[in-house]
Amino acid sequence: MKKVIAGSIFAISAIFANSVQANDYIIDTKGAHASIEFKIKHLGYSWLTGRFNRFDGEFSYDASKPEQAQITVNIDPASIDSNHAERDKHLRSGDFLSVTNHKTSKFVSTQVKDQGNGKLSITGDFTLHGVTKSIEIDAQKVGEGKDPWGGYRVGFTGTTEIALEDFGIKNTLGPDSANVYLSLNIEGIRK
Amino acid sequence: MASPTSYNTTSKCLHWLTGILVLALFGLGFWMVDLSYYHAWYRTSMELHKSIGVILALLFIWRLVNRLTSTQPSPIAKQAWQKLAAHMTHLMLYVLVFSIFITGYLISTADGRSIEIFELIAIPALIAEGEQQAELAGSIHKWLAYSVIGLVVLHATAALKHHFIDKDVTLSRMWFKSKHN
């Protein structure tokens, strides 16, 4: 009996130790040390940029086992902001994001490949406009370490490219504006 | 002071001019919201809508002042309910039209941008409360516009009924060749 208890305690502490070791982070949206930006060509002549102001997420990352990393990000599509109220209203409408019908957007990683030198290739399911598709994000670790206030942080930057029509958004903006480029800058605070 | 038999010339001019502009703006608005991005009028139609809208707002302020300061001819209708219906329709037309001006202004200025009248005069934003403002003001603007058109139809039908069926001077005293002076 003692052995069993000791064994269980060992097992539990091992799980506990393991979960702490797993290095779970919460994305610092509170302090706004994270952003989700997009850019799309305007008429094929220039880049239009904007961002999603409201999102949150969590990830786990251990520098020694990058392939076990996982990330989930929830985005509120209604928070799209291209610095132009009339355009944002249009982007939220049925012509584009249809935010009253599709209230959430989400990225959930399914596989992480280590490309060396802090580079990661993150495959995951991206939900936008009610459509879920697998996409790949090229990510790069920016830095990691203690912060000045007793916490521990790690940050990444990542980019990906999606076609509007893949997510059921009719492209009315012309052939040069078929794709949207997303870039994510995230800083995680260790839990 | 005895009430005049006809509206004064300023009233008549403002009545017909603002009436035409209300209909024109409704048509323009209805048409422009469905234009494709590459349509030649995609941008111009909206600039035109805003510019004419601001001018109409100014004309309407003038119209309201003129209405409040001039003596109106007395109502033609004999029945109390007809007088009341006519009064309420007129009042609601003023209230709705002014609400449309305000909501239209609030859509375009939601991010602090000003509204321009034919790129000549910029009217600055006063309230820029962000994301929900453009959304909310936009849908109110749309439904008020439909309501105004409903009232205009009612107003015009009543005027025509008075002219052709009752054969009274309701319509002709708003027209320029007045026979009753």
Side-chain angles (χ1 to χ4, degrees), chain A residues 33-182:
Chain A
H33 296 115
S35 62
I36 300 174
E37 289 155 0
F38 67 87
K39 65 173 185 176
I40 185 167
K41 273 195 177 155
H42 183 231
L43 306 171
Y45 304 151
S46 68
W47 289 108
L48 176 127
T49 68
R51 62 187 191 192
F52 291 95
N53 287 334
R54 286 192 299 276
F55 62 96
D56 58 43
E58 293 180 339
F59 64 90
S60 61
Y61 172 78
D62 181 342
S64 61
K65 291 175 278 184
E67 305 221 328
Q68 286 176 18
Q70 266 192 327
I71 179 162
T72 303
V73 180
N74 303 297
I75 307 167
D76 178 357
S79 71
I80 193 163
D81 180 356
S82 68
N83 194 26
H84 192 331
E86 285 172 352
R87 178 169 55 219
D88 296 342
K89 176 174 175 290
H90 194 195
L91 292 174
R92 284 191 293 268
S93 78
D95 286 351
F96 294 96
L97 295 173
S98 198
V99 300
T100 45
N101 299 319
H102 309 296
K103 292 193 192 309
T104 56
S105 178
K106 195 174 189 172
F107 177 78
V108 182
S109 70
T110 50
Q111 199 190 16
V112 174
K113 276 188 212 145
D114 182 16
Q115 314 274 53
N117 282 331
K119 278 202 173 84
L120 300 170
S121 170
I122 306 167
T123 308
D125 294 327
F126 184 47
T127 307
L128 181 70
H129 192 245
V131 178
T132 304
K133 278 226 140 94
S134 183
I135 62 166
E136 209 168 280
I137 299 175
D138 293 322
Q140 168 81 51
K141 185 165 96 176
V142 179
E144 176 173 12
K146 286 179 189 157
D147 66 28
W149 316 287
Y152 191 91
R153 299 177 186 235
V154 57
F156 295 88
T157 182
T159 54
T160 190
E161 179 183 350
I162 58 165
L164 287 178
E165 300 214 323
D166 283 353
F167 290 88
I169 300 169
K170 216 177 133 210
N171 176 24
T172 52
L173 302 172
D176 289 313
S177 309
N179 291 355
V180 178
Y181 299 81
L182 293 165

Side-chain angles (χ1 to χ4, degrees), chain B residues 86-181:
Chain B
H87 266 303
M88 289 310 287
T89 308
H90 296 154
L91 180 67
M92 284 312 288
L93 278 168
Y94 276 94
V95 170
L96 292 191
V97 165
F98 274 104
S99 306
I100 293 173
F101 297 145
I102 293 164
T103 49
Y105 168 81
L106 289 176
I107 305 170
S108 301
T109 56
D111 53 15
R113 276 178 171 73
S114 49
I115 285 194
E116 291 185 352
I117 313 174
F118 294 112
E119 297 178 9
L120 291 174
I121 303 165
I123 297 172
L126 288 176
I127 304 167
E129 291 298 324
E131 193 182 311
Q132 291 307 314
Q133 181 177 325
E135 217 69 37
L136 192 63
S139 76
I140 296 173
H141 190 75
K142 181 173 84 178
W143 291 110
L144 287 178
Y146 286 131
S147 309
V148 142
I149 293 306
L151 280 178
V152 165
V153 169
L154 179 70
H155 175 70
T157 310
L160 291 174
K161 184 243 175 203
H162 275 282
H163 189 74
F164 290 109
I165 297 173
D166 303 337
K167 299 197 190 300
D168 62 28
V169 294
T170 305
L171 185 59
S172 52
R173 68 181 185 170
M174 187 46 104
W175 196 243
F176 298 96
K177 249 172 61 187
S178 181
K179 290 172 261 174
H180 335 283
N181 284 331

